[in-house]
Amino acid sequence: MTVLSFPPPSANAPAGGQSVEAAVGRFLDQVQAATTRAGYATTLTRLTALAGPRPTTSLDPEDYAAVMEQWNTAAAATWNRHLSALVSFTAWAQRQELLAANPARRLQRRKPARRGDRAIPRARLEDLFTDSSHALRERLLWRMLYETAARAEEILTLNIEDLDLEFRRARVTSKGGAIEYVHWATGTARLLPRLLKGRITGPLFLADRRAPASGPRAPAAADICPATGRGRLSYPRAEYLFKHASAKLDPHQKGWTLHQLRHSALQHLAEAGRSAPELQAKSRHQHLASLGRYVRLGEETSARLTIEADPAARRKSR
């Protein structure tokens, strides 16, 4: 996984307080989740480039607006993700008394366009999972995300040591920091040994190239495979590959997101008649109310009901 590093505070701090670059470095150091840290770094690197050697106390709404200008035409979810990075940094800087005012106060989250059925049809998922033109790493990642109904960052941050192959489960760190288990089925179980190739430690999903040993793009040691020297596969890269691969199957030709694999798994289980407590056990949501957006029955259910109720059908289903 690519994690940008920032220098520690120096004795030559700008007049008026700690530099933006040094403050950003301190902030990222205290972010424990690797995927979150990498995502924040993407946004905050732009902030440090725009701020230059200025002190953190000098940041104002115009600075934040200039940072977010890069994503003005992006999807609402992308805009909100980068804004969240600025807001999190601001809250931390205020607690550290590096900022008095809130430079993000003029920026607002955007409301995502409401989509209909976000679940991916089973037949198209199976096409993706079994298409040998896609790399083994991708086919395993996609199938594992679907069979476990786990969050993408939970699976991408797995180490081989977290796997329990005998019981087809893995230990993950959940959204709230709790240690939980996710379970997979036969499809994942058959592909895992082929990906591991005898590796017994390090990140499960690896990038294509060896990780740089030094420089601003050098990842943390925990994100490098000791056997191959390759870094951990990043969320942005995994997302790009999935959207690109699924675009030809998507009626809108835009491709799907990794999160839709989790959504699809839960919705398909709901369509199969699984109870809310069963879905909660699978998804590991703390509250049943959180399942509402996942289990709203959609296009496949509508199509099936239409076929079954068709008065012109020669053979009625019982």
Side-chain angles (χ1 to χ4, degrees), residues 41 46 49-50 55 57 111 138 227 260:
R46 180 166 171 79
L50 291 171
T57 54
K111 187 175 181 180
E138 274 62 66
Q260 282 179 266

Side-chain angles (χ1 to χ4, degrees), residues 89-158:
F89 169 69
T90 301
W92 173 87
Q94 288 180 319
R95 291 195 299 271
Q96 304 298 315
E97 298 183 351
L98 298 175
L99 271 174
N102 178 8
R105 61 185 180 272
R106 297 179 187 171
L107 298 170
Q108 293 184 339
R109 291 178 60 84
R110 294 179 176 176
K111 187 175 181 180
R114 187 172 181 85
R115 297 182 62 182
D117 185 12
R118 297 187 63 209
I120 305 169
R122 291 182 184 83
R124 290 177 183 170
L125 282 176
E126 195 60 29
D127 287 342
L128 277 171
F129 297 160
T130 58
D131 187 347
S132 59
S133 67
H134 303 309
L136 170 65
R137 179 189 65 186
E138 274 62 66
R139 287 187 286 121
L140 172 59
L141 173 63
W142 304 339
R143 187 178 285 276
M144 196 175 196
L145 287 171
Y146 179 73
E147 291 183 356
T148 61
R151 300 174 182 89
E153 60 269 23
E154 293 173 336
I155 298 301
L156 287 169
T157 54
L158 278 177

Side-chain angles (χ1 to χ4, degrees), residues 301-318:
T301 302
S302 173
R304 177 174 53 81
L305 291 175
T306 302
I307 292 171
E308 292 176 355
D310 188 348
R314 296 181 63 184
R315 179 174 177 175
K316 299 292 185 180
S317 58
R318 296 181 180 179

Side-chain angles (χ1 to χ4, degrees), residues 267-298:
Q267 185 161 317
H268 293 164
L269 288 171
E271 291 171 348
R274 294 298 184 179
S275 67
E278 286 176 321
L279 294 174
Q280 185 180 28
K282 184 68 175 175
S283 67
R284 295 167 293 113
H285 279 96
Q286 292 189 5
H287 305 289
L288 285 173
S290 302
L291 290 168
R293 64 195 180 107
Y294 292 98
V295 301
R296 187 171 62 87
L297 305 185

Side-chain angles (χ1 to χ4, degrees), residues 170-190:
R171 182 181 60 229
V172 300
T173 302
S174 69
K175 210 171 185 179
I179 302 300
E180 299 176 318
Y181 283 91
V182 296
H183 300 79
W184 58 78
T186 302
T188 297
R190 289 174 175 171

Side-chain angles (χ1 to χ4, degrees), residues 30-233:
Q30 56 86 48
V31 179
Q32 296 184 355
T35 51
T36 303
R37 187 167 61 248
Y40 283 179
T42 301
T43 311
L44 297 177
T45 298
R46 180 166 171 79
L47 177 63
T48 60
L50 291 171
R54 291 161 46 197
T56 306
T57 54
S58 70
L59 290 175
D60 56 32
E62 285 71 28
D63 294 316
Y64 276 31
V67 171
M68 294 302 298
E69 184 178 356
Q70 178 171 336
W71 298 286
N72 266 341
T73 59
T78 301
W79 167 277
N80 292 339
R81 184 171 68 251
H82 290 290
L83 179 57
S84 293
L86 290 176
V87 170
S88 295
F89 169 69
T90 301
W92 173 87
Q94 288 180 319
R95 291 195 299 271
Q96 304 298 315
E97 298 183 351
L98 298 175
L99 271 174
N102 178 8
R105 61 185 180 272
R106 297 179 187 171
L107 298 170
Q108 293 184 339
R109 291 178 60 84
R110 294 179 176 176
K111 187 175 181 180
R114 187 172 181 85
R115 297 182 62 182
D117 185 12
R118 297 187 63 209
I120 305 169
R122 291 182 184 83
R124 290 177 183 170
L125 282 176
E126 195 60 29
D127 287 342
L128 277 171
F129 297 160
T130 58
D131 187 347
S132 59
S133 67
H134 303 309
L136 170 65
R137 179 189 65 186
E138 274 62 66
R139 287 187 286 121
L140 172 59
L141 173 63
W142 304 339
R143 187 178 285 276
M144 196 175 196
L145 287 171
Y146 179 73
E147 291 183 356
T148 61
R151 300 174 182 89
E153 60 269 23
E154 293 173 336
I155 298 301
L156 287 169
T157 54
L158 278 177
N159 284 345
I160 297 173
E161 304 95 299
D162 298 319
L163 305 179
D164 184 346
L165 299 181
E166 180 181 1
F167 291 97
R168 297 185 177 183
R169 65 178 187 171
R171 182 181 60 229
V172 300
T173 302
S174 69
K175 210 171 185 179
I179 302 300
E180 299 176 318
Y181 283 91
V182 296
H183 300 79
W184 58 78
T186 302
T188 297
R190 289 174 175 171
L191 293 177
L192 262 174
R194 294 173 55 191
L195 184 75
L196 294 178
K197 291 184 178 178
R199 291 189 297 127
I200 59 174
T201 187
L204 173 59
F205 292 101
L206 300 176
D208 296 316
R209 300 178 181 178
R210 289 179 62 88
S214 60
R217 299 182 66 85
D223 292 321
I224 300 176
C225 173
T228 66
R230 291 155 58 190
R232 190 185 302 276
L233 178 64

